[in-house]
Coordinates of all heavy atoms in Angstrom, one line a residue:
G1 N 50.3 141.0 75.4 CA 49.5 141.9 74.8 C 48.8 141.4 73.5 O 48.3 142.1 72.7
I2 N 49.1 140.1 73.2 CA 48.5 139.5 71.9 C 47.3 138.7 72.3 O 47.3 137.8 73.2 CB 49.6 138.6 71.2 CG1 50.8 139.5 70.8 CG2 49.0 137.9 70.0 CD1 52.0 138.6 70.4
E3 N 46.2 138.9 71.6 CA 44.9 138.2 71.8 C 45.1 136.8 71.2 O 45.6 136.6 70.1 CB 43.8 138.9 71.3 CG 42.4 138.3 71.6 CD 41.3 139.1 71.0 OE1 41.5 140.3 70.6 OE2 40.2 138.6 71.0
L4 N 44.5 135.7 72.0 CA 44.6 134.4 71.5 C 43.1 133.9 71.4 O 42.4 134.0 72.4 CB 45.4 133.5 72.4 CG 45.4 132.0 72.1 CD1 46.1 131.7 70.7 CD2 46.1 131.2 73.1
E5 N 42.7 133.4 70.2 CA 41.3 132.9 70.1 C 41.3 131.5 69.5 O 42.2 131.2 68.6 CB 40.6 133.9 69.1 CG 39.2 133.4 68.8 CD 38.5 134.4 67.8 OE1 38.7 135.6 67.8 OE2 37.9 133.8 66.9
F6 N 40.5 130.7 70.0 CA 40.3 129.3 69.5 C 38.9 129.3 68.8 O 37.9 129.6 69.5 CB 40.3 128.3 70.6 CG 41.7 128.0 71.1 CD1 42.3 128.8 72.1 CD2 42.4 126.8 70.7 CE1 43.5 128.5 72.6 CE2 43.6 126.5 71.2 CZ 44.2 127.4 72.2
E7 N 38.9 128.9 67.6 CA 37.6 128.7 66.9 C 36.9 127.5 67.5 O 37.6 126.6 67.9 CB 37.8 128.5 65.4 CG 38.3 129.8 64.7 CD 38.4 129.6 63.2 OE1 38.4 128.5 62.7 OE2 38.5 130.7 62.5
P8 N 35.6 127.5 67.6 CA 34.9 126.3 68.2 C 35.3 125.0 67.5 O 35.4 124.0 68.2 CB 33.4 126.7 67.9 CG 33.3 128.2 67.8 CD 34.7 128.5 67.2
E9 N 35.5 125.0 66.2 CA 35.9 123.7 65.6 C 37.2 123.3 66.0 O 37.6 122.1 66.1 CB 35.9 123.9 64.0 CG 34.5 124.2 63.5 CD 34.2 125.7 63.5 OE1 35.0 126.5 63.9 OE2 33.0 126.0 63.2
A10 N 38.1 124.2 66.4 CA 39.5 123.8 66.9 C 39.3 123.2 68.3 O 40.0 122.2 68.5 CB 40.3 125.1 67.0
L11 N 38.5 123.8 69.1 CA 38.3 123.1 70.4 C 37.7 121.7 70.3 O 38.1 120.8 71.0 CB 37.3 124.0 71.3 CG 37.9 125.4 71.6 CD1 36.8 126.2 72.3 CD2 39.1 125.3 72.5
Y12 N 36.8 121.6 69.4 CA 36.2 120.2 69.1 C 37.3 119.3 68.6 O 37.4 118.1 69.1 CB 35.1 120.3 68.1 CG 34.5 119.0 67.8 CD1 33.6 118.4 68.7 CD2 34.8 118.3 66.6 CE1 33.0 117.2 68.5 CE2 34.2 117.1 66.4 CZ 33.3 116.5 67.2 OH 32.7 115.3 67.0
A13 N 38.2 119.7 67.8 CA 39.3 118.9 67.3 C 40.3 118.5 68.4 O 40.8 117.4 68.4 CB 40.0 119.6 66.1
I14 N 40.5 119.4 69.3 CA 41.4 119.1 70.4 C 40.7 118.0 71.3 O 41.4 117.0 71.7 CB 41.7 120.4 71.3 CG1 42.6 121.3 70.5 CG2 42.4 120.0 72.6 CD1 42.7 122.7 71.1
A15 N 39.5 118.2 71.6 CA 38.7 117.2 72.4 C 38.7 115.8 71.7 O 39.0 114.8 72.3 CB 37.3 117.7 72.7
K16 N 38.5 115.9 70.4 CA 38.4 114.6 69.6 C 39.8 113.9 69.7 O 39.8 112.7 69.8 CB 38.0 114.9 68.2 CG 37.7 113.8 67.3 CD 37.2 114.3 66.0 CE 37.0 113.2 65.0 NZ 36.6 113.7 63.7
K17 N 40.9 114.7 69.6 CA 42.2 114.1 69.6 C 42.5 113.5 71.0 O 43.1 112.4 71.1 CB 43.2 115.2 69.3 CG 44.6 114.7 69.0 CD 45.5 115.8 68.6 CE 45.7 115.8 67.1 NZ 46.8 116.6 66.7
A18 N 42.1 114.2 72.0 CA 42.3 113.7 73.4 C 41.5 112.4 73.6 O 42.0 111.5 74.3 CB 41.9 114.7 74.5
I19 N 40.3 112.3 73.1 CA 39.5 111.1 73.2 C 40.2 109.9 72.5 O 40.3 108.8 73.0 CB 38.1 111.3 72.7 CG1 37.3 112.2 73.6 CG2 37.3 110.0 72.5 CD1 36.0 112.8 73.1
S20 N 40.7 110.2 71.3 CA 41.3 109.2 70.5 C 42.6 108.7 71.2 O 43.0 107.5 71.0 CB 41.6 109.6 69.1 OG 42.6 110.5 69.0
R21 N 43.3 109.5 71.9 CA 44.5 109.1 72.6 C 44.2 108.5 74.0 O 45.1 108.0 74.7 CB 45.4 110.3 72.9 CG 46.0 110.9 71.7 CD 46.9 112.1 72.0 NE 47.5 112.7 70.9 CZ 48.3 113.8 70.9 NH1 48.6 114.4 72.1 NH2 48.8 114.3 69.8
Q22 N 42.9 108.6 74.4 CA 42.4 108.1 75.7 C 43.2 108.7 76.8 O 43.6 108.0 77.8 CB 42.5 106.6 75.7 CG 41.6 105.9 74.7 CD 41.7 104.4 74.7 OE1 42.5 103.8 75.4 NE2 40.8 103.8 74.1
T23 N 43.3 110.1 76.7 CA 44.1 110.7 77.8 C 43.3 111.6 78.7 O 43.8 112.2 79.6 CB 45.2 111.6 77.1 OG1 44.6 112.5 76.1 CG2 46.2 110.7 76.4
G24 N 42.0 111.8 78.4 CA 41.2 112.6 79.2 C 41.6 114.1 79.3 O 42.2 114.6 78.4
A25 N 41.4 114.7 80.4 CA 41.6 116.1 80.6 C 43.1 116.5 80.5 O 43.5 117.5 80.0 CB 41.1 116.6 82.0
R26 N 43.9 115.6 81.0 CA 45.4 115.9 80.9 C 45.8 115.9 79.5 O 46.7 116.6 79.1 CB 46.2 114.8 81.6 CG 46.0 114.9 83.2 CD 46.8 113.8 83.9 NE 46.1 113.6 85.1 CZ 46.7 112.9 86.1 NH1 47.9 112.4 86.0 NH2 46.0 112.7 87.2
G27 N 45.2 115.1 78.7 CA 45.5 115.1 77.2 C 45.1 116.4 76.5 O 45.8 116.9 75.7
L28 N 44.1 117.1 77.0 CA 43.7 118.4 76.5 C 44.8 119.4 76.7 O 45.2 120.1 75.8 CB 42.4 118.9 77.2 CG 41.1 118.1 76.9 CD1 40.0 118.6 77.8 CD2 40.7 118.2 75.5
A29 N 45.4 119.4 77.9 CA 46.4 120.3 78.2 C 47.6 120.0 77.4 O 48.3 120.9 76.9 CB 46.8 120.3 79.7
S30 N 47.9 118.8 77.2 CA 49.1 118.3 76.5 C 49.0 118.7 75.0 O 49.9 119.2 74.4 CB 49.3 116.8 76.7 OG 50.4 116.4 75.8
I31 N 47.8 118.5 74.4 CA 47.6 118.8 73.0 C 47.7 120.4 72.8 O 48.3 120.9 71.9 CB 46.3 118.3 72.6 CG1 46.3 116.8 72.5 CG2 45.9 118.8 71.2 CD1 45.0 116.1 72.5
A32 N 47.1 121.1 73.7 CA 47.1 122.6 73.6 C 48.5 123.1 73.7 O 49.0 123.9 73.0 CB 46.2 123.2 74.7
E33 N 49.3 122.5 74.7 CA 50.7 122.9 74.9 C 51.5 122.6 73.6 O 52.3 123.4 73.1 CB 51.3 122.2 76.0 CG 52.8 122.6 76.3 CD 53.3 122.0 77.5 OE1 52.6 122.0 78.6 OE2 54.5 121.5 77.5
E34 N 51.3 121.5 73.0 CA 52.0 121.0 71.8 C 51.8 122.0 70.7 O 52.7 122.3 69.9 CB 51.5 119.6 71.4 CG 52.0 119.0 70.2 CD 51.3 117.7 69.9 OE1 51.3 116.8 70.9 OE2 50.8 117.5 68.9
I35 N 50.5 122.5 70.6 CA 50.2 123.4 69.5 C 50.7 124.8 69.8 O 51.2 125.5 68.9 CB 48.6 123.4 69.3 CG1 48.2 122.1 68.7 CG2 48.2 124.6 68.4 CD1 46.8 121.7 69.1
L36 N 50.6 125.3 71.0 CA 50.9 126.6 71.4 C 52.4 126.9 71.6 O 52.8 128.0 71.6 CB 50.1 127.0 72.6 CG 48.6 127.2 72.4 CD1 47.9 127.4 73.7 CD2 48.3 128.2 71.4
Q37 N 53.1 125.9 71.9 CA 54.6 126.1 72.3 C 55.4 126.9 71.2 O 56.0 127.9 71.6 CB 55.2 124.8 72.6 CG 56.6 125.0 73.2 CD 57.2 123.7 73.7 OE1 56.9 122.6 73.2 NE2 58.0 123.8 74.8
P38 N 55.3 126.5 69.9 CA 56.1 127.3 69.0 C 55.5 128.7 68.9 O 56.3 129.7 68.7 CB 55.9 126.6 67.6 CG 55.2 125.3 67.9 CD 54.7 125.3 69.3
I39 N 54.2 128.9 69.0 CA 53.6 130.2 68.9 C 54.1 131.1 70.1 O 54.4 132.3 69.9 CB 52.1 130.1 68.9 CG1 51.6 129.3 67.6 CG2 51.4 131.4 69.0 CD1 50.2 128.8 67.6
M40 N 54.2 130.5 71.2 CA 54.5 131.3 72.5 C 55.9 131.9 72.3 O 56.2 132.9 72.8 CB 54.5 130.4 73.7 CG 53.1 130.1 74.1 SD 53.0 129.2 75.7 CE 53.9 127.7 75.4
F41 N 56.8 131.2 71.7 CA 58.2 131.6 71.5 C 58.4 132.6 70.4 O 59.1 133.6 70.4 CB 59.1 130.5 71.3 CG 59.3 129.7 72.6 CD1 58.8 128.4 72.7 CD2 60.0 130.2 73.7 CE1 58.9 127.7 73.9 CE2 60.1 129.5 74.8 CZ 59.6 128.1 74.9
E42 N 57.6 132.5 69.3 CA 57.7 133.3 68.1 C 56.9 134.6 68.2 O 57.3 135.7 67.8 CB 57.3 132.6 66.9 CG 58.2 131.4 66.5 CD 57.6 130.5 65.4 OE1 56.7 131.0 64.7 OE2 58.1 129.4 65.3
A43 N 55.7 134.5 68.7 CA 54.8 135.7 68.7 C 55.3 136.9 69.4 O 55.1 138.0 68.8 CB 53.4 135.3 69.3
P44 N 55.9 136.9 70.5 CA 56.4 138.2 71.1 C 57.3 139.0 70.3 O 57.4 140.2 70.4 CB 57.0 137.7 72.5 CG 56.4 136.4 72.8 CD 56.1 135.8 71.4
S45 N 58.0 138.4 69.4 CA 59.0 139.1 68.6 C 58.4 139.6 67.3 O 59.1 140.3 66.5 CB 60.3 138.2 68.3 OG 59.9 137.1 67.6
V46 N 57.2 139.3 67.0 CA 56.5 139.7 65.7 C 55.9 141.1 65.9 O 55.0 141.2 66.7 CB 55.5 138.7 65.3 CG1 54.8 139.2 64.0 CG2 56.1 137.3 65.1
V47 N 56.5 142.1 65.2 CA 56.0 143.5 65.4 C 54.6 143.7 64.8 O 54.3 143.3 63.7 CB 57.0 144.4 64.7 CG1 56.5 145.9 64.7 CG2 58.4 144.3 65.2
G48 N 53.8 144.3 65.6 CA 52.4 144.6 65.2 C 51.4 143.5 65.2 O 50.3 143.6 64.9
L49 N 51.8 142.3 65.8 CA 50.9 141.2 65.9 C 49.9 141.5 67.0 O 50.2 141.7 68.1 CB 51.6 139.9 66.1 CG 50.8 138.6 66.3 CD1 50.0 138.3 65.0 CD2 51.7 137.4 66.6
E50 N 48.6 141.5 66.6 CA 47.5 141.8 67.5 C 46.8 140.6 68.0 O 46.3 140.5 69.2 CB 46.6 142.8 66.9 CG 45.4 143.2 67.7 CD 45.9 144.1 68.9 OE1 47.0 144.7 68.9 OE2 45.2 144.2 69.9
K51 N 46.5 139.6 67.1 CA 45.7 138.5 67.4 C 46.1 137.2 66.7 O 46.5 137.3 65.5 CB 44.3 138.8 67.0 CG 43.2 137.8 67.4 CD 41.8 138.3 67.0 CE 40.7 137.5 67.5 NZ 39.4 138.1 67.2
I52 N 46.0 136.1 67.4 CA 46.3 134.7 66.8 C 45.0 133.9 66.9 O 44.5 133.9 68.0 CB 47.5 134.1 67.5 CG1 48.8 134.9 67.4 CG2 47.7 132.6 67.1 CD1 49.9 134.5 68.3
I53 N 44.6 133.3 65.8 CA 43.4 132.5 65.8 C 43.8 131.1 65.5 O 44.3 130.8 64.5 CB 42.4 133.1 64.8 CG1 42.1 134.5 65.1 CG2 41.1 132.2 64.8 CD1 41.3 135.2 64.0
I54 N 43.4 130.2 66.4 CA 43.7 128.8 66.3 C 42.5 128.1 65.6 O 41.4 128.2 66.1 CB 44.0 128.1 67.7 CG1 45.1 128.8 68.4 CG2 44.2 126.6 67.4 CD1 46.5 128.8 67.7
T55 N 42.7 127.5 64.5 CA 41.7 126.9 63.7 C 41.8 125.4 63.8 O 42.7 124.8 64.2 CB 41.8 127.3 62.2 OG1 43.0 126.8 61.7 CG2 41.7 128.8 62.0
K56 N 40.7 124.7 63.2 CA 40.7 123.3 63.2 C 41.9 122.8 62.4 O 42.5 121.8 62.7 CB 39.4 122.9 62.5 CG 39.3 121.4 62.3 CD 37.9 121.1 61.6 CE 37.8 119.6 61.3 NZ 36.5 119.3 60.6
Q57 N 42.3 123.5 61.3 CA 43.4 123.1 60.5 C 44.8 123.1 61.3 O 45.6 122.3 61.0 CB 43.6 124.0 59.2 CG 42.4 123.8 58.3 CD 41.1 124.4 58.7 OE1 41.1 125.3 59.5 NE2 40.0 123.9 58.1
V58 N 44.9 124.0 62.2 CA 46.1 124.1 63.1 C 46.1 122.8 63.9 O 47.3 122.2 64.0 CB 46.0 125.3 64.0 CG1 47.2 125.3 65.0 CG2 46.0 126.6 63.2
I59 N 45.1 122.3 64.4 CA 45.0 121.1 65.2 C 45.3 119.9 64.4 O 46.0 119.0 64.7 CB 43.7 121.0 66.0 CG1 43.3 122.3 66.7 CG2 43.7 119.8 66.9 CD1 44.3 122.8 67.7
E60 N 44.5 119.7 63.3 CA 44.5 118.5 62.6 C 45.6 118.4 61.5 O 46.0 117.3 61.2 CB 43.1 118.3 61.9 CG 42.0 118.1 62.8 CD 40.7 117.9 62.2 OE1 40.5 118.2 61.0 OE2 39.7 117.5 62.9
Q61 N 46.0 119.5 60.9 CA 47.0 119.4 59.8 C 48.3 120.2 60.1 O 49.0 120.4 59.2 CB 46.3 120.0 58.6 CG 45.1 119.3 58.2 CD 44.2 120.1 57.2 OE1 44.6 121.1 56.7 NE2 43.0 119.6 56.9
K62 N 48.4 120.7 61.4 CA 49.6 121.4 61.7 C 49.8 122.7 60.8 O 50.9 123.0 60.6 CB 50.8 120.5 61.8 CG 50.7 119.5 62.8 CD 51.9 118.7 63.1 CE 51.6 117.6 64.1 NZ 52.8 117.0 64.6
A63 N 48.7 123.3 60.4 CA 48.8 124.5 59.6 C 49.1 125.6 60.5 O 49.1 125.6 61.7 CB 47.4 124.8 59.0
E64 N 49.5 126.7 59.9 CA 49.8 128.0 60.6 C 48.5 128.6 61.1 O 47.6 128.5 60.4 CB 50.6 129.0 59.7 CG 52.0 128.5 59.3 CD 52.9 128.5 60.5 OE1 52.9 129.4 61.4 OE2 53.7 127.5 60.7
P65 N 48.6 129.2 62.3 CA 47.3 129.9 62.7 C 47.1 131.2 61.9 O 48.0 131.7 61.3 CB 47.6 130.2 64.2 CG 49.1 130.2 64.3 CD 49.6 129.3 63.3
K66 N 45.9 131.6 62.0 CA 45.5 132.9 61.4 C 46.1 134.0 62.3 O 46.2 133.8 63.5 CB 44.0 133.1 61.3 CG 43.3 132.2 60.4 CD 41.8 132.6 60.4 CE 41.0 131.7 59.5 NZ 39.5 132.0 59.6
T67 N 46.6 135.0 61.7 CA 47.2 136.1 62.4 C 46.7 137.4 61.9 O 46.4 137.6 60.7 CB 48.8 136.1 62.3 OG1 49.1 136.1 60.9 CG2 49.4 135.0 63.0
I68 N 46.5 138.4 62.8 CA 45.9 139.7 62.5 C 46.9 140.7 63.0 O 47.3 140.7 64.2 CB 44.5 139.9 63.1 CG1 43.6 138.9 62.5 CG2 44.1 141.3 62.8 CD1 42.2 138.9 63.1
F69 N 47.3 141.6 62.1 CA 48.2 142.7 62.5 C 47.5 144.0 62.5 O 46.6 144.2 61.6 CB 49.4 142.7 61.5 CG 50.3 141.5 61.5 CD1 49.9 140.3 60.8 CD2 51.4 141.5 62.3 CE1 50.7 139.2 60.9 CE2 52.2 140.4 62.4 CZ 51.9 139.3 61.6
L70 N 47.8 144.8 63.4 CA 47.2 146.1 63.5 C 48.3 147.2 63.3 O 49.4 147.1 63.6 CB 46.6 146.4 64.8 CG 45.4 145.6 65.1 CD1 44.8 145.9 66.5 CD2 44.3 145.7 64.1
Q71 N 47.9 148.3 62.7 CA 48.7 149.5 62.5 C 48.0 150.6 63.2 O 46.8 150.9 62.9 CB 48.9 149.7 61.0 CG 49.7 151.0 60.8 CD 49.9 151.2 59.3 OE1 49.2 150.6 58.5 NE2 50.8 152.1 58.9
D72 N 48.7 151.4 64.0 CA 48.1 152.5 64.7 C 47.9 153.6 63.8 O 48.7 153.9 62.9 CB 49.1 153.0 65.8 CG 49.1 152.0 67.0 OD1 48.1 151.3 67.3 OD2 50.1 152.0 67.6
T73 N 46.7 154.3 63.9 CA 46.4 155.4 63.0 C 46.0 156.5 64.0 O 46.0 156.3 65.3 CB 45.1 155.1 62.1 OG1 44.0 154.8 62.9 CG2 45.4 154.0 61.2
K74 N 45.7 157.7 63.6 CA 45.4 158.8 64.5 C 44.2 158.5 65.3 O 44.2 158.8 66.5 CB 45.1 160.1 63.6 CG 46.3 160.6 62.9 CD 45.9 161.8 62.1 CE 47.2 162.2 61.2 NZ 46.8 163.3 60.3
D75 N 43.1 158.0 64.8 CA 41.9 157.7 65.5 C 41.8 156.4 66.2 O 41.5 156.3 67.4 CB 40.7 157.9 64.6 CG 40.6 159.3 64.0 OD1 41.0 160.3 64.7 OD2 40.2 159.4 62.9
S76 N 42.1 155.3 65.5 CA 42.0 154.0 66.1 C 42.8 153.1 65.2 O 43.1 153.3 64.1 CB 40.5 153.6 66.2 OG 40.0 153.5 64.8
P77 N 43.1 151.9 65.9 CA 43.9 150.9 65.1 C 42.9 150.2 64.0 O 41.7 150.2 64.2 CB 44.3 149.8 66.1 CG 43.6 150.1 67.3 CD 43.0 151.5 67.2
E78 N 43.5 149.8 62.9 CA 42.8 149.1 61.9 C 43.5 147.9 61.5 O 44.8 147.9 61.5 CB 42.4 150.0 60.7 CG 43.7 150.5 60.0 CD 43.4 151.5 58.9 OE1 42.9 152.6 59.1 OE2 43.6 151.0 57.7
I79 N 42.8 146.9 60.9 CA 43.4 145.7 60.5 C 44.2 146.0 59.2 O 43.6 146.6 58.2 CB 42.4 144.5 60.2 CG1 41.8 144.2 61.5 CG2 43.1 143.3 59.6 CD1 40.7 143.1 61.4
V80 N 45.5 145.7 59.1 CA 46.2 145.9 57.9 C 46.5 144.7 57.1 O 46.8 144.7 55.9 CB 47.5 146.8 58.1 CG1 47.1 148.2 58.5 CG2 48.4 146.1 59.1
S81 N 46.5 143.6 57.8 CA 46.7 142.3 57.1 C 46.2 141.1 57.9 O 46.2 141.2 59.1 CB 48.1 142.1 56.7 OG 48.9 141.7 57.8
E82 N 45.8 140.1 57.2 CA 45.4 138.8 57.9 C 45.7 137.7 57.0 O 45.4 137.7 55.8 CB 43.9 138.9 58.2 CG 43.3 137.7 58.8 CD 41.8 137.7 59.1 OE1 41.2 138.8 59.0 OE2 41.3 136.7 59.3
N83 N 46.4 136.7 57.6 CA 46.7 135.5 56.8 C 45.6 134.6 57.0 O 44.9 134.6 58.0 CB 48.1 134.9 57.1 CG 48.1 134.1 58.4 OD1 47.2 134.2 59.2 ND2 49.2 133.5 58.6
Q84 N 45.3 133.7 56.0 CA 44.2 132.7 56.2 C 44.8 131.4 56.2 O 44.8 130.5 55.7 CB 43.3 132.9 55.0 CG 42.8 134.3 55.0 CD 41.4 134.6 55.5 OE1 40.6 133.7 55.8 NE2 41.1 135.8 55.7

């Protein structure tokens, strides 16, 4: 139930990394798995986590992804915090 988004610059960084490793399409999957593996294990236990955004910095600098948390209100959910 958590949305995952890749910024266009992140996708470009993944492709660039695969080209530099000379691994082709298999390298794309390997790089994506390398980045997403810790997130896949941690995210389900984070209460209120609505969305994870993979940025160029996540790919190139191993930064933390952006996260968006939602809080239910009477009418509709609203963003209550976002890390950058």
Side-chain angles (χ1 to χ4, degrees):
I2 300 169
E3 186 178 347
L4 177 64
E5 177 183 319
F6 284 81
E7 290 184 345
E9 296 84 7
L11 295 174
Y12 180 78
I14 291 171
K16 191 173 168 182
K17 192 177 260 196
I19 291 168
S20 72
R21 292 181 182 179
Q22 298 180 346
T23 55
R26 290 180 209 195
L28 295 172
S30 174
I31 293 164
E33 183 179 313
E34 179 183 306
I35 290 156
L36 294 174
Q37 191 170 29
I39 296 167
M40 290 187 298
F41 289 109
E42 294 171 16
S45 63
V46 179
V47 177
L49 181 58
E50 182 68 20
K51 185 175 189 178
I52 298 170
I53 303 170
I54 306 299
T55 64
K56 178 181 177 180
Q57 291 77 21
V58 174
I59 310 303
E60 293 180 347
Q61 302 164 6
K62 298 188 180 190
E64 291 294 316
K66 292 181 183 178
T67 53
I68 297 176
F69 294 85
L70 292 181
Q71 178 180 13
D72 288 328
T73 62
K74 292 179 186 174
D75 299 325
S76 64
E78 62 182 69
I79 296 175
V80 293
S81 76
E82 177 178 347
N83 76 349
Q84 307 256 348

